[in-house]
Amino acid sequence: MLGIDWYLALSAILFCIGMIGVLIRKNAIVIFMCVELMLNAVNLSLISFSSHYGNIDGQILVFFALAVAAAEAVVGLAIIIAIFRNNLSVDISRVNLLRW
């Protein structure tokens, strides 16, 4: 059986990949997927700690975090579709929402 350190290392790697993707990429859909990857990395660490300490509170928190992530996915994709309809692109560098 794997120890908690392996799960936390995987969680840290996934979070770093997501953070680098958010900072480097310019496509809104890819940025959105990287944010979801970061959220899943945090969920993995919560589940790891919950399993390690034998407490179910972390698993309950992950359940609510996944429900919020589903709602966030719906709202985020709706915003991306609205931006695409106006600009015909999902490139973040071309989006200027503060123009007159």
Side-chain angles (χ1 to χ4, degrees):
M1 184 168 164
L2 295 175
I4 191 172
D5 52 346
W6 291 101
Y7 292 112
L8 292 179
L10 177 63
S11 176
I13 290 169
L14 288 175
F15 191 85
C16 288
I17 290 171
M19 183 176 58
I20 290 169
V22 167
L23 294 175
I24 291 177
R25 305 296 280 190
K26 294 187 188 243
N27 189 338
I29 296 173
V30 174
I31 291 173
F32 189 68
M33 288 189 325
C34 289
V35 169
E36 292 294 326
L37 184 65
M38 292 167 57
L39 183 63
N40 284 328
V42 172
N43 286 339
L44 177 62
S45 65
L46 282 171
I47 290 291
S48 300
F49 280 119
S50 175
S51 175
H52 181 71
Y53 292 115
N55 195 350
I56 198 167
D57 293 340
Q59 295 175 8
I60 294 171
L61 185 60
V62 167
F63 176 73
F64 287 116
L66 287 176
V68 169
E72 179 234 344
V74 169
V75 172
L77 286 176
I79 291 171
I80 290 172
I81 289 172
I83 290 172
F84 179 75
R85 285 185 180 174
N86 288 337
N87 297 334
L88 297 177
S89 174
V90 289
D91 189 13
I92 296 299
S93 62
R94 294 183 55 190
V95 174
N96 185 8
L97 297 177
L98 296 177
R99 66 175 180 227
W100 289 91

